[in-house]
Amino acid sequence: MGSAKALAKEIVMSRKAVNRLYENKAQLNSISMHLGESVAIARTVGHLSKSAEVMKLVNNLMKAPEMAATMQEFSREMTKAGVIEEMVTDAVDSALDSEDIEEEIEEEVDKVLTEIAGETAAQLPEAVRKERVRVPAKEASTSHEEEAIAEGVDDEEELEELRARLAKVRS
């Protein structure tokens, strides 16, 4: 019985020793983690101090007042470029609009001629109509004559001139 008690006592002591070993192992792991954390913090502090030095150097190189003056000059140049672009766009638009106006004028002349000459002017080939547009003097006199007709001017000379032109168109 005495040896059984001694053996039981030894088993209890060895279990306590195993539990203490587990506790010691956990404490050592905790210490290892704290050391790793301390090393990481030290590295971070080193990197931050290097970043601060670099930022100081960049700040010294940048010279903020000169940069502000450069940015203002850049802003003025961009404004000028925008104004120039608007002027060019307006000029291009007006040039394109003048082409549209010429087409509208040509259509109106065709309508007036169709009204005056009836179906004969409508049957004229397209080349004859285009030729009339190419000769500016003829176009100017034609539009003048059309205006005279539209205003109801009864000038005999102009009517005779119109009749002569109409005869030319028909032939």
Side-chain angles (χ1 to χ4, degrees), residues 64-164:
E66 290 177 13
M67 182 64 82
T70 303
M71 291 304 290
Q72 287 176 349
E73 181 67 24
F74 181 72
S75 175
R76 283 192 293 268
E77 291 297 323
M78 291 303 289
T79 302
K80 287 179 189 176
V83 169
I84 290 171
E85 182 181 354
E86 284 181 31
M87 290 172 58
V88 168
T89 302
D90 290 344
V92 168
D93 288 345
S94 66
L96 293 177
D97 287 343
S98 67
E99 289 175 7
D100 292 340
I101 290 171
E102 289 174 9
E103 290 175 7
E104 290 177 20
I105 289 172
E106 182 180 332
E107 289 175 10
E108 288 299 319
V109 168
D110 286 342
K111 287 179 185 177
V112 170
L113 284 178
T114 304
E115 288 176 12
I116 293 172
E119 293 181 4
T120 308
Q123 294 172 352
L124 283 178
E126 188 68 26
V128 173
R129 290 186 209 166
K130 296 290 183 190
E131 181 179 322
R132 182 176 28 95
V133 172
R134 288 188 189 132
V135 181
K138 281 188 176 180
E139 183 177 329
S141 64
T142 304
S143 63
H144 178 65
E145 292 165 1
E146 292 168 4
E147 289 175 8
I149 291 171
E151 294 173 4
V153 174
D154 292 327
D155 192 75
E156 288 298 319
E157 293 174 5
E158 289 184 57
L159 285 175
E160 288 301 319
E161 192 177 315
L162 277 174
R163 288 183 183 137

Side-chain angles (χ1 to χ4, degrees), residues 15 20 27 39 59 85 88 90 95 108 141 165 168:
R15 285 185 185 160
R20 274 187 257 135
Q27 287 176 353
V39 168
N59 199 16
E85 182 181 354
V88 168
D90 290 344
E108 288 299 319
S141 64
R165 294 191 130 227
K168 286 181 185 177

Side-chain angles (χ1 to χ4, degrees), residues 55-73:
M55 289 175 72
K56 284 180 186 177
L57 291 173
V58 169
N59 199 16
N60 289 338
L61 291 174
M62 188 174 79
K63 299 177 184 174
E66 290 177 13
M67 182 64 82
T70 303
M71 291 304 290
Q72 287 176 349
E73 181 67 24

